[in-house]
Amino acid sequence: MPQKPKTDFLRGVREFNPSAYGTPGTAKEAARLKAKVDDYDAQSGGTWNYDSLFSTCISYLKGIPREQAEKFLASHEGPGEANAKLSIFKALCKSIPFDHAQYVEDSRKTISFGERQATIAPDFSYKTDEGVFCVFVYPYKQPALKQNQRMAIVSTLASPPHTEPHFLQLVEYSQVSGQRRVKIEKFEFAYRRTDEDFLLHMSGFYEILDNSSGTGDLFS
């Protein structure tokens, strides 16, 4: 399974933790990241990803019945796939007024990490009377996001002011206290300054990825 820009980006985000690993950009930190990349690439690769969840959310926004959407997601046969996708979908249904929302095209953003450029986009977007909401899912069981990692995602997806209100809904499906829970937070989708340490960290991470094997998405 080909690796996607979102996969690469979130792999880097998960390794951003200066309080635990020290200042980004050092030789020691580069060696640690190289070991992490090698360990990931040594795995067998993913057998599924979350694309069908997001396309189903878009189809639901466009009018298919909820029962049809859930039946489709329940039919997936990858290890843990149906349960993971259904859990997130049902949580989204509690927070998103699908019946009264309108699907809109995603707002993509290209950001430079050193000499590498990455195009990062929400998984899907919709519009209500309140404004435009851009949904981005962090689907990993572990590690749960730390606050600095969470805000790094928010600042990366941030965009200049719009003519109408824009919001980011960050969805997390991590394991906390032995149980996986869906957490959804709303942030104003406005320009935010990206942390310099995060930019330095991601620059080093993407440089290492240039020599990676291209292992696909891995989920648990």
Side-chain angles (χ1 to χ4, degrees), residues 8-20:
D8 290 340
F9 173 68
L10 288 182
R11 285 175 62 190
V13 169
R14 292 160 73 184
E15 296 301 328
F16 177 59
N17 190 0
S19 62

Side-chain angles (χ1 to χ4, degrees), residues 86-163:
L86 274 172
S87 295
I88 296 176
F89 180 74
K90 290 178 179 179
L92 289 173
C93 287
K94 294 178 180 178
S95 301
I96 296 175
F98 281 96
D99 293 339
H100 304 95
Q102 176 185 354
Y103 168 71
V104 295
E105 290 292 332
D106 293 335
S107 174
R108 298 178 178 272
K109 179 180 179 181
T110 299
I111 186 168
S112 295
F113 296 114
E115 297 182 356
R116 286 283 298 271
Q117 286 191 325
T119 300
I120 311 298
D123 295 308
F124 65 94
S125 302
Y126 65 93
K127 182 178 179 180
T128 68
D129 291 340
E130 189 178 352
V132 175
F133 291 80
C134 303
V135 180
F136 188 86
V137 178
Y138 175 82
Y140 297 100
K141 179 179 180 180
Q142 293 178 334
L145 288 175
K146 295 177 174 57
Q147 183 62 14
N148 64 340
Q149 295 169 333
R150 188 174 293 113
M151 296 313 299
I153 293 173
V154 174
S155 63
T156 298
L157 286 167
S159 63
H162 298 270
T163 56

Side-chain angles (χ1 to χ4, degrees), residues 20-21 59 80 87 91 111 178 195 210 216:
Y21 304 127
S59 295
S87 295
I111 186 168
D195 183 271
D210 281 342

Side-chain angles (χ1 to χ4, degrees), residues 52-71:
S52 63
L53 168 63
F54 308 135
S55 64
T56 300
C57 289
I58 292 171
S59 295
Y60 188 26
L61 284 166
K62 291 182 176 181
I64 69 166
R66 176 170 174 174
E67 294 77 10
Q68 181 180 339
E70 291 185 351
K71 182 178 180 180

Side-chain angles (χ1 to χ4, degrees), residues 145-212:
L145 288 175
K146 295 177 174 57
Q147 183 62 14
N148 64 340
Q149 295 169 333
R150 188 174 293 113
M151 296 313 299
I153 293 173
V154 174
S155 63
T156 298
L157 286 167
S159 63
H162 298 270
T163 56
E164 58 186 325
H166 274 61
F167 304 94
L168 171 68
Q169 283 183 301
L170 179 59
V171 182
E172 302 175 46
Y173 186 50
S174 302
Q175 180 171 294
V176 180
S177 300
Q179 183 176 353
R180 293 193 78 166
R181 295 185 175 89
V182 176
K183 175 182 179 181
I184 303 177
E185 287 187 87
K186 182 176 79 171
F187 301 87
E188 289 188 6
F189 203 56
Y191 174 79
R192 298 167 187 263
R193 181 181 176 85
T194 305
D195 183 271
E196 292 296 332
D197 280 346
F198 178 67
L199 292 174
L200 182 60
H201 162 79
M202 292 299 288
S203 174
F205 182 78
Y206 275 110
E207 184 176 343
I208 292 170
L209 280 184
D210 281 342
N211 299 314
S212 70

